[in-house]
Amino acid sequence: MDDAVDAWLTRLAELWRSERTAARARHRAERDGTTLATRVARGLALANLTVSDFRPAAGGRTRVWLTPPRHIDLDDVRLGPGDPVVLWRQHPGEPDAARGVIARPERGDLIVIVAGDLPDVVLDAGCHLDVEAPESTFDRGDRAIARARAAKATAPLTAMLEVLLGVRPATARRPLPWQPFDRALDDAQRAAITAALHADQVALIHGPPGTGKTRTLVEVIRHAVAAGERVLVTAPSNTAVDNLGERLLAAGVGVVRIGHPARIAPALEARSLDALVAGSDGARLARELGDRARDERRAALGARGAEARDRWGEVRALERDARAALAEAEAHLLETAPVLLATCAGADHHALAERTFPLVVIDEATQAPDPLALVALARGGRAILAGDPHQLPPTVVDLDAARGGLATTLFERRATAAGAPMLVQQHRMHADIMAFPSASKYDGALVAAPAVAGHTLAELGARPDPERGTALWLVDTAGKDWTDRRGGPDETDGDVPDPSTWNPEQAERVAREVRRLLARGVAAADVAVIAAYHAQVRRLRTLLAPERAAGLEIATVDGFQGREKEAVVLDTVRSNADGEVGFLADTRRMNVALTRARRFLLVVGDSATLGGHPYYQALFATLDELGAHGSAWADDGDLPDGC
């Protein structure tokens, strides 16, 4: 291995250790430095849950239905499918605490899949729930770094890393003609596909918002499968993996989804490894053998001497054969499926053993910290990384580790050094909504497809609003003295302060703007409210509870990565005399927020606070050019009579 690659891996291991230490410290502070009531108010815990049902689940687990108190809104819980949690009565560290993973809620109940049996104390008396530190993720990253350091000089992983880190140039096979499965691909998508199909080590696909990155990846994967290659498809989040998996299924590609059942989207549950094994001939044989083993066990309990010894031997043989039948069914699925789906960390799943694949795909690669990207890369002969360095970065808790390089991904390193084919025709946003993101992040390269360039809410039946007559509009709160503040309305004295920020007066105005939009006839399900901070999201969900019941979505920026709505109301929250913008200074996050809307985007923000930052100064200049800069002083946010 090249010395530069080895030095990078050594440094990466140090940064990963620092990140683990910081994550543990934050976890302890959030749990031990606050009351349960405050953790519940912040969406980090749930109290007084009752068990409404429980059933056996695959892998010796138990699926538990937990009902929260009536006043609890599960949408306010900052925990989602796949997050590790602990169920407890007296203290999260008690011996009888049950550890598990959150699944998707059903009918107002939270579902947790726990390891083993449900403790009697939880079943009888209910429980509280707290998040657990994600130690297994760090363990997998550690193993991936160690594997990379031990890789031979001739190993595919070594070649990929040398290309990604700029130690040697990438090579490609001679391009051959190919015929698209998807006839609607645009020219930039076709060029990116050609480069990906012929790369020897690594190919990058740079997909700005709305440019069809997922569609492009589906085409690449279909061609790899048609050529007889097996593909491991990964992404840093379960949501991104499942989104790509659903698109592949719709295209007729056979997929098997690997991972904890709680982490898999309902649309892919039938294609999960557990479900497919359970429906296999091997599982039916295993059940028959298990039934015979139970009968033999009963007989053995009443036998004596040699007969007992023989019967117990038969029990063990039947159980061994049952396990072998399940293992054979699992191995057959893993060997024959053209596409396997897993998160980057999930590519370390024990079922994969030492399997490798001709091609590994990492979607949303610009969100994958390098240790987790290495987990997936180690499985491949070559790799395709797709993402956008101008959208959400990896989540890194330790600021020193982030500055040291952990927040910079392999995709970014390679793209900075050698460039990456960029998709440029976007198929989501009205041209006016697209204008500023294109100019500020993509050198003005984005082009709105004709079908979306001028589309409006009027085409969906919405009534006109003469005071919000453009596709993009700013309600400028400058001078209103709606000062932002830390924490939230439910803070408790003595708690570690909540780092989140909220702005109650601005939240009231945002709520009125949402109602104004809905009063025009826009369906609630077509509207999203995006707020820059969790505390503001919680406030807005309270203010807009009836609208949420009708289908309105309210979430942070992170919750809308990869998604879109016909109309979006964006609350920037920050308003203060010091011009403090907080993490809004990370303009990648704002780029995501500004690119979720298809036909109408309304921004509520304080130009006096944000305007000191060059990015927001440029945004306000674009709004001025479009004639889309309004003032909160001009009206109260209600729809005028007659509209």
Side-chain angles (χ1 to χ4, degrees), residues 111-131:
I111 298 177
V112 175
I113 300 179
V114 303
D117 296 326
L118 187 66
D120 290 340
V121 65
V122 171
L123 179 60
D124 295 338
C127 62
H128 311 302
L129 177 150
D130 264 287
V131 66

Side-chain angles (χ1 to χ4, degrees), residues 229-291:
E229 293 185 316
R230 300 181 66 243
V231 186
L232 176 63
V233 175
T234 69
S237 71
N238 285 285
T239 299
V241 173
D242 290 339
N243 179 49
L244 191 45
E246 289 179 40
R247 298 283 196 94
L248 288 165
L249 269 181
V253 179
V255 303
V256 172
R257 176 66 158 92
I258 299 170
H260 195 293
R263 296 182 168 100
I264 298 173
L268 287 174
E269 284 180 354
R271 300 302 304 174
S272 71
L273 182 60
D274 284 351
L276 291 168
V277 169
S280 68
D281 291 339
R284 284 188 284 274
L285 175 58
R287 286 192 290 270
E288 293 173 6
L289 293 169
D291 291 341

Side-chain angles (χ1 to χ4, degrees), residues 451-452 454-462 599:
V452 304
H455 64 179
T456 65
L457 290 177
E459 295 168 355
L460 301 180
R599 300 168 189 265

Side-chain angles (χ1 to χ4, degrees), residues 5 94 97 146 164 189 268 320 324 326 333 346 390 454 471-472 485 579 623:
V5 176
E94 66 194 19
L164 286 166
Q189 291 167 339
L268 287 174
R320 185 170 57 250
L326 289 173
L333 286 164
H390 301 301
L472 175 64
R485 60 207 73 179
L623 289 161

